[in-house]
Amino acid sequence: MDGVERQSPVVPVLDTERLRLRAHRAEDHAERVAIWSDPEVTRFIGGRPLTGEEIWRRFLQYMGLWSVLGYGYWAVEEKSTGRYIGDIGFADFKRDLQPSLEGMLEFGWVLASHAHGKGYASEAVVAAIHWAEQHRPGMRAVCIIDPANQPSIRVAEKAGFKRWQESTYHGGPTVVFSR
């Protein structure tokens, strides 16, 4: 070792009927690349597939959120197969967005295209909301969604999010939901 003491953030494991929300792992990288380089997945999240380098940075960002904020993103694993299928969680990204989301739990989720339409996003969002209610009570929960992303809007509304504001983010229309 290099003599530097390291502490890993404790990322709680959340189990639902069909999913396990767990810490991200370096060995998920190949699946993470498959997910984040899929144009269907990224169509409403930046509008373009990510490169391997950008995907690796995203992984490091996810790990850092737990260390800095005490909350963050989970890897979503399908229990029946043990396969990593996406990401869900919350952060404070200090976005250049009006209204400001600073100090709020900004929810986000992404699933591999092969996992779309199975109710997994709704199942994972409910688990994350329950964790937040227990561990971050009183913090306002928000999410930003491209107005054309009807599946994510349905997930948000099913989880109790309501349209709060319309905004622009990175030059495109964005709807801010709150619960």
Side-chain angles (χ1 to χ4, degrees):
M1 291 294 285
D2 57 11
V4 176
E5 182 180 336
R6 290 180 177 82
Q7 287 187 323
S8 295
V10 175
V11 179
V13 174
L14 308 180
D15 283 306
T16 71
E17 181 181 338
R18 301 177 298 162
L19 305 172
R20 173 164 288 126
L21 280 57
R22 58 156 173 86
H24 285 85
R25 302 176 187 143
E27 56 268 23
D28 294 330
H29 190 64
E31 284 294 325
R32 201 169 19 258
V33 168
I35 293 168
W36 284 99
S37 62
D38 180 347
E40 180 63 25
V41 170
T42 60
R43 179 170 46 143
F44 299 115
I45 309 171
R48 67 170 179 79
L50 300 183
T51 66
E53 179 180 340
E54 290 169 320
I55 295 162
W56 182 253
R57 278 195 209 130
R58 181 175 289 274
F59 160 68
L60 297 175
Q61 176 184 25
Y62 287 161
M63 298 303 292
L65 288 168
W66 287 97
S67 295
V68 173
L69 301 176
Y71 57 85
Y73 273 70
W74 287 272
V76 180
E77 182 179 282
E78 192 176 44
K79 279 185 177 178
S80 64
T81 63
R83 186 176 182 188
Y84 163 78
I85 60 167
D87 309 311
I88 184 167
F90 23 81
D92 182 348
F93 290 123
K94 307 227 181 278
R95 294 185 191 274
D96 185 15
L97 177 75
Q98 290 303 318
S100 173
L101 306 181
E102 192 163 341
M104 300 179 196
L105 290 173
E106 182 188 333
F107 272 74
W109 53 87
V110 63
L111 292 176
S113 56
H114 66 79
H116 291 178
K118 297 181 179 182
Y120 286 165
S122 292
E123 191 173 321
V125 167
V126 167
I129 287 171
H130 285 125
W131 184 90
E133 288 173 346
Q134 291 176 347
H135 299 277
R136 296 294 180 269
M139 286 186 77
R140 185 177 203 167
V142 296
C143 58
I144 63 172
I145 303 175
D146 183 306
N149 188 348
Q150 289 303 310
S152 278
I153 289 172
R154 282 192 297 276
V155 168
E157 290 175 338
K158 186 175 178 181
F161 286 90
K162 307 275 187 242
R163 287 177 187 261
W164 177 35
Q165 302 266 340
E166 292 187 13
S167 189
T168 301
Y169 185 64
H170 287 204
T174 298
V175 179
V176 182
F177 288 79
S178 177
R179 74 179 308 276

